[in-house]
mmCIF file of all heavy atoms in Angstrom:
data_model
loop_
_atom_site.group_PDB
_atom_site.id
_atom_site.type_symbol
_atom_site.label_atom_id
_atom_site.label_comp_id
_atom_site.label_asym_id
_atom_site.label_seq_id
_atom_site.Cartn_x
_atom_site.Cartn_y
_atom_site.Cartn_z
ATOM 1 N N GLU A 262 10.589 19.548 -26.734
ATOM 2 C CA GLU A 262 11.188 20.765 -27.229
ATOM 3 C C GLU A 262 10.151 21.561 -28.012
ATOM 4 O O GLU A 262 9.413 21.037 -28.842
ATOM 5 C CB GLU A 262 12.366 20.428 -28.147
ATOM 6 C CG GLU A 262 13.550 19.873 -27.395
ATOM 7 C CD GLU A 262 14.724 19.626 -28.334
ATOM 8 O OE1 GLU A 262 14.595 19.966 -29.524
ATOM 9 O OE2 GLU A 262 15.747 19.106 -27.872
ATOM 10 N N GLY A 263 10.121 22.857 -27.726
ATOM 11 C CA GLY A 263 9.220 23.718 -28.461
ATOM 12 C C GLY A 263 7.795 23.675 -27.963
ATOM 13 O O GLY A 263 6.913 24.273 -28.550
ATOM 14 N N VAL A 264 7.523 22.939 -26.883
ATOM 15 C CA VAL A 264 6.170 22.855 -26.330
ATOM 16 C C VAL A 264 6.205 23.387 -24.921
ATOM 17 O O VAL A 264 7.080 23.041 -24.127
ATOM 18 C CB VAL A 264 5.668 21.384 -26.323
ATOM 19 C CG1 VAL A 264 4.260 21.325 -25.769
ATOM 20 C CG2 VAL A 264 5.728 20.811 -27.721
ATOM 21 N N GLU A 265 5.224 24.223 -24.570
ATOM 22 C CA GLU A 265 5.199 24.788 -23.235
ATOM 23 C C GLU A 265 4.873 23.721 -22.214
ATOM 24 O O GLU A 265 4.182 22.755 -22.481
ATOM 25 C CB GLU A 265 4.133 25.892 -23.169
ATOM 26 C CG GLU A 265 4.452 27.095 -24.068
ATOM 27 C CD GLU A 265 3.408 28.184 -23.921
ATOM 28 O OE1 GLU A 265 2.456 27.973 -23.141
ATOM 29 O OE2 GLU A 265 3.545 29.222 -24.567
ATOM 30 N N ASP A 266 5.401 23.911 -20.967
ATOM 31 C CA ASP A 266 5.130 22.973 -19.880
ATOM 32 C C ASP A 266 3.641 22.930 -19.582
ATOM 33 O O ASP A 266 2.948 23.948 -19.579
ATOM 34 C CB ASP A 266 5.889 23.383 -18.611
ATOM 35 C CG ASP A 266 7.388 23.210 -18.784
ATOM 36 O OD1 ASP A 266 7.780 22.594 -19.790
ATOM 37 O OD2 ASP A 266 8.137 23.714 -17.925
ATOM 38 N N VAL A 267 3.165 21.729 -19.344
ATOM 39 C CA VAL A 267 1.769 21.544 -18.963
ATOM 40 C C VAL A 267 1.685 21.467 -17.456
ATOM 41 O O VAL A 267 2.465 20.740 -16.833
ATOM 42 C CB VAL A 267 1.208 20.245 -19.584
ATOM 43 C CG1 VAL A 267 -0.242 20.047 -19.169
ATOM 44 C CG2 VAL A 267 1.343 20.306 -21.096
ATOM 45 N N PRO A 268 0.758 22.178 -16.814
ATOM 46 C CA PRO A 268 0.654 22.127 -15.360
ATOM 47 C C PRO A 268 0.445 20.699 -14.876
ATOM 48 O O PRO A 268 -0.303 19.920 -15.466
ATOM 49 C CB PRO A 268 -0.591 23.001 -15.065
ATOM 50 C CG PRO A 268 -0.714 23.894 -16.261
ATOM 51 C CD PRO A 268 -0.216 23.109 -17.412
ATOM 52 N N VAL A 269 1.128 20.376 -13.800
ATOM 53 C CA VAL A 269 1.060 19.027 -13.240
ATOM 54 C C VAL A 269 0.040 18.986 -12.104
ATOM 55 O O VAL A 269 0.022 19.865 -11.250
ATOM 56 C CB VAL A 269 2.435 18.591 -12.702
ATOM 57 C CG1 VAL A 269 2.346 17.199 -12.090
ATOM 58 C CG2 VAL A 269 3.471 18.609 -13.815
ATOM 59 N N LYS A 270 -0.803 17.972 -12.134
ATOM 60 C CA LYS A 270 -1.813 17.819 -11.098
ATOM 61 C C LYS A 270 -1.154 17.601 -9.746
ATOM 62 O O LYS A 270 -0.167 16.881 -9.626
ATOM 63 C CB LYS A 270 -2.697 16.599 -11.446
ATOM 64 C CG LYS A 270 -3.816 16.360 -10.451
ATOM 65 C CD LYS A 270 -4.606 15.126 -10.809
ATOM 66 C CE LYS A 270 -3.787 13.858 -10.611
ATOM 67 N NZ LYS A 270 -4.586 12.630 -10.825
ATOM 68 N N GLN A 271 -1.705 18.223 -8.719
ATOM 69 C CA GLN A 271 -1.163 18.099 -7.372
ATOM 70 C C GLN A 271 -1.356 16.672 -6.888
ATOM 71 O O GLN A 271 -2.483 16.174 -6.824
ATOM 72 C CB GLN A 271 -1.868 19.080 -6.427
ATOM 73 C CG GLN A 271 -1.298 19.079 -5.003
ATOM 74 C CD GLN A 271 0.136 19.574 -4.956
ATOM 75 O OE1 GLN A 271 0.515 20.456 -5.721
ATOM 76 N NE2 GLN A 271 0.933 18.992 -4.091
ATOM 77 N N GLU A 272 -0.276 16.005 -6.537
ATOM 78 C CA GLU A 272 -0.345 14.612 -6.088
ATOM 79 C C GLU A 272 -0.171 14.538 -4.582
ATOM 80 O O GLU A 272 0.287 15.493 -3.938
ATOM 81 C CB GLU A 272 0.761 13.786 -6.772
ATOM 82 C CG GLU A 272 0.680 13.750 -8.284
ATOM 83 C CD GLU A 272 -0.387 12.775 -8.793
ATOM 84 O OE1 GLU A 272 -1.221 12.326 -7.992
ATOM 85 O OE2 GLU A 272 -0.371 12.479 -10.003
ATOM 86 N N LYS A 273 -0.538 13.395 -4.017
ATOM 87 C CA LYS A 273 -0.312 13.173 -2.601
ATOM 88 C C LYS A 273 1.185 13.189 -2.298
ATOM 89 O O LYS A 273 1.992 12.749 -3.122
ATOM 90 C CB LYS A 273 -0.894 11.824 -2.179
ATOM 91 C CG LYS A 273 -2.399 11.765 -2.107
ATOM 92 C CD LYS A 273 -2.835 10.404 -1.606
ATOM 93 C CE LYS A 273 -4.343 10.308 -1.478
ATOM 94 N NZ LYS A 273 -4.783 8.967 -0.990
ATOM 95 N N SER A 274 1.525 13.672 -1.114
ATOM 96 C CA SER A 274 2.920 13.624 -0.698
ATOM 97 C C SER A 274 3.272 12.205 -0.298
ATOM 98 O O SER A 274 2.396 11.359 -0.056
ATOM 99 C CB SER A 274 3.156 14.574 0.474
ATOM 100 O OG SER A 274 2.479 14.105 1.638
ATOM 101 N N PHE A 275 4.564 11.938 -0.208
ATOM 102 C CA PHE A 275 5.021 10.601 0.194
ATOM 103 C C PHE A 275 4.505 10.276 1.599
ATOM 104 O O PHE A 275 4.092 9.147 1.874
ATOM 105 C CB PHE A 275 6.548 10.558 0.145
ATOM 106 C CG PHE A 275 7.140 9.227 0.515
ATOM 107 C CD1 PHE A 275 6.726 8.060 -0.099
ATOM 108 C CD2 PHE A 275 8.119 9.145 1.502
ATOM 109 C CE1 PHE A 275 7.277 6.831 0.243
ATOM 110 C CE2 PHE A 275 8.673 7.922 1.848
ATOM 111 C CZ PHE A 275 8.243 6.768 1.215
ATOM 112 N N ARG A 276 4.513 11.268 2.478
ATOM 113 C CA ARG A 276 4.042 11.049 3.846
ATOM 114 C C ARG A 276 2.551 10.696 3.870
ATOM 115 O O ARG A 276 2.127 9.810 4.623
ATOM 116 C CB ARG A 276 4.299 12.302 4.681
ATOM 117 C CG ARG A 276 3.908 12.149 6.163
ATOM 118 C CD ARG A 276 4.248 13.389 6.963
ATOM 119 N NE ARG A 276 3.932 13.220 8.370
ATOM 120 C CZ ARG A 276 2.720 13.405 8.881
ATOM 121 N NH1 ARG A 276 1.727 13.778 8.090
ATOM 122 N NH2 ARG A 276 2.495 13.224 10.171
ATOM 123 N N GLU A 277 1.761 11.374 3.040
ATOM 124 C CA GLU A 277 0.333 11.070 2.966
ATOM 125 C C GLU A 277 0.091 9.649 2.475
ATOM 126 O O GLU A 277 -0.839 8.970 2.919
ATOM 127 C CB GLU A 277 -0.358 12.080 2.049
ATOM 128 C CG GLU A 277 -0.481 13.473 2.645
ATOM 129 C CD GLU A 277 -1.068 14.466 1.657
ATOM 130 O OE1 GLU A 277 -0.755 14.347 0.435
ATOM 131 O OE2 GLU A 277 -1.800 15.369 2.082
ATOM 132 N N CYS A 278 0.941 9.198 1.554
ATOM 133 C CA CYS A 278 0.839 7.820 1.075
ATOM 134 C C CYS A 278 1.056 6.830 2.218
ATOM 135 O O CYS A 278 0.326 5.841 2.355
ATOM 136 C CB CYS A 278 1.844 7.557 -0.033
ATOM 137 S SG CYS A 278 1.550 8.477 -1.572
ATOM 138 N N LEU A 279 2.059 7.102 3.034
ATOM 139 C CA LEU A 279 2.401 6.185 4.123
ATOM 140 C C LEU A 279 1.339 6.161 5.219
ATOM 141 O O LEU A 279 1.188 5.149 5.926
ATOM 142 C CB LEU A 279 3.752 6.567 4.740
ATOM 143 C CG LEU A 279 4.958 6.601 3.797
ATOM 144 C CD1 LEU A 279 6.240 6.769 4.595
ATOM 145 C CD2 LEU A 279 5.026 5.336 2.951
ATOM 146 N N MET A 280 0.613 7.272 5.372
ATOM 147 C CA MET A 280 -0.398 7.356 6.429
ATOM 148 C C MET A 280 -1.746 6.815 5.991
ATOM 149 O O MET A 280 -2.680 6.740 6.801
ATOM 150 C CB MET A 280 -0.556 8.818 6.869
ATOM 151 C CG MET A 280 0.701 9.446 7.452
ATOM 152 S SD MET A 280 1.308 8.598 8.924
ATOM 153 C CE MET A 280 -0.008 8.972 10.078
ATOM 154 N N SER A 281 -1.882 6.427 4.737
ATOM 155 C CA SER A 281 -3.162 5.947 4.234
ATOM 156 C C SER A 281 -3.429 4.517 4.668
ATOM 157 O O SER A 281 -2.509 3.729 4.910
ATOM 158 C CB SER A 281 -3.202 6.038 2.710
ATOM 159 O OG SER A 281 -2.283 5.124 2.129
ATOM 160 N N ARG A 282 -4.706 4.175 4.761
ATOM 161 C CA ARG A 282 -5.059 2.798 5.144
ATOM 162 C C ARG A 282 -4.714 1.824 4.031
ATOM 163 O O ARG A 282 -4.498 0.635 4.284
ATOM 164 C CB ARG A 282 -6.540 2.708 5.506
ATOM 165 C CG ARG A 282 -7.505 2.973 4.368
ATOM 166 C CD ARG A 282 -8.942 2.781 4.835
ATOM 167 N NE ARG A 282 -9.895 3.005 3.745
ATOM 168 C CZ ARG A 282 -11.215 2.890 3.889
ATOM 169 N NH1 ARG A 282 -11.715 2.550 5.060
ATOM 170 N NH2 ARG A 282 -12.007 3.105 2.864
ATOM 171 N N PHE A 283 -4.698 2.304 2.774
ATOM 172 C CA PHE A 283 -4.265 1.440 1.680
ATOM 173 C C PHE A 283 -2.870 0.909 1.938
ATOM 174 O O PHE A 283 -2.581 -0.283 1.758
ATOM 175 C CB PHE A 283 -4.269 2.217 0.359
ATOM 176 C CG PHE A 283 -5.628 2.384 -0.253
ATOM 177 C CD1 PHE A 283 -5.800 3.167 -1.392
ATOM 178 C CD2 PHE A 283 -6.744 1.772 0.293
ATOM 179 C CE1 PHE A 283 -7.045 3.321 -1.968
ATOM 180 C CE2 PHE A 283 -8.001 1.921 -0.262
ATOM 181 C CZ PHE A 283 -8.153 2.708 -1.394
ATOM 182 N N PHE A 284 -1.964 1.797 2.355
ATOM 183 C CA PHE A 284 -0.582 1.405 2.592
ATOM 184 C C PHE A 284 -0.502 0.384 3.731
ATOM 185 O O PHE A 284 0.159 -0.661 3.604
ATOM 186 C CB PHE A 284 0.261 2.639 2.928
ATOM 187 C CG PHE A 284 1.709 2.327 3.229
ATOM 188 C CD1 PHE A 284 2.630 2.190 2.197
ATOM 189 C CD2 PHE A 284 2.137 2.151 4.536
ATOM 190 C CE1 PHE A 284 3.959 1.893 2.471
ATOM 191 C CE2 PHE A 284 3.458 1.862 4.812
ATOM 192 C CZ PHE A 284 4.370 1.729 3.782
ATOM 193 N N VAL A 285 -1.173 0.677 4.844
ATOM 194 C CA VAL A 285 -1.103 -0.180 6.040
ATOM 195 C C VAL A 285 -1.611 -1.582 5.747
ATOM 196 O O VAL A 285 -0.933 -2.588 6.009
ATOM 197 C CB VAL A 285 -1.890 0.440 7.197
ATOM 198 C CG1 VAL A 285 -1.944 -0.525 8.386
ATOM 199 C CG2 VAL A 285 -1.250 1.752 7.634
ATOM 200 N N TRP A 286 -2.815 -1.664 5.157
ATOM 201 C CA TRP A 286 -3.394 -2.974 4.929
ATOM 202 C C TRP A 286 -2.726 -3.727 3.792
ATOM 203 O O TRP A 286 -2.722 -4.957 3.768
ATOM 204 C CB TRP A 286 -4.901 -2.865 4.681
ATOM 205 C CG TRP A 286 -5.650 -2.572 5.939
ATOM 206 C CD1 TRP A 286 -6.408 -1.482 6.218
ATOM 207 C CD2 TRP A 286 -5.687 -3.400 7.121
ATOM 208 N NE1 TRP A 286 -6.903 -1.558 7.497
ATOM 209 C CE2 TRP A 286 -6.477 -2.730 8.072
ATOM 210 C CE3 TRP A 286 -5.101 -4.611 7.472
ATOM 211 C CZ2 TRP A 286 -6.730 -3.249 9.336
ATOM 212 C CZ3 TRP A 286 -5.342 -5.142 8.738
ATOM 213 C CH2 TRP A 286 -6.138 -4.464 9.648
ATOM 214 N N HIS A 287 -2.125 -2.975 2.859
ATOM 215 C CA HIS A 287 -1.391 -3.651 1.794
ATOM 216 C C HIS A 287 -0.115 -4.282 2.351
ATOM 217 O O HIS A 287 0.288 -5.370 1.913
ATOM 218 C CB HIS A 287 -1.043 -2.669 0.671
ATOM 219 C CG HIS A 287 -0.577 -3.338 -0.577
ATOM 220 N ND1 HIS A 287 -1.392 -4.152 -1.354
ATOM 221 C CD2 HIS A 287 0.637 -3.375 -1.200
ATOM 222 C CE1 HIS A 287 -0.716 -4.625 -2.378
ATOM 223 N NE2 HIS A 287 0.521 -4.168 -2.310
#
């Protein structure tokens, strides 16, 4: 309250997460 919103860093989409090799090999 009383504090302006801080811009949020652009994150990977859920689809991009699923297409990553990290996801597959994990």
Side-chain angles (χ1 to χ4, degrees):
E262 290 183 4
V264 181
E265 295 183 359
D266 292 349
V267 179
V269 179
K270 181 182 69 174
Q271 184 65 35
E272 299 282 14
K273 287 183 178 180
S274 67
F275 181 53
R276 183 177 183 276
E277 288 175 324
C278 293
L279 302 189
M280 299 300 293
S281 67
R282 65 177 181 179
F283 282 174
F284 179 84
V285 173
W286 286 118
H287 194 66

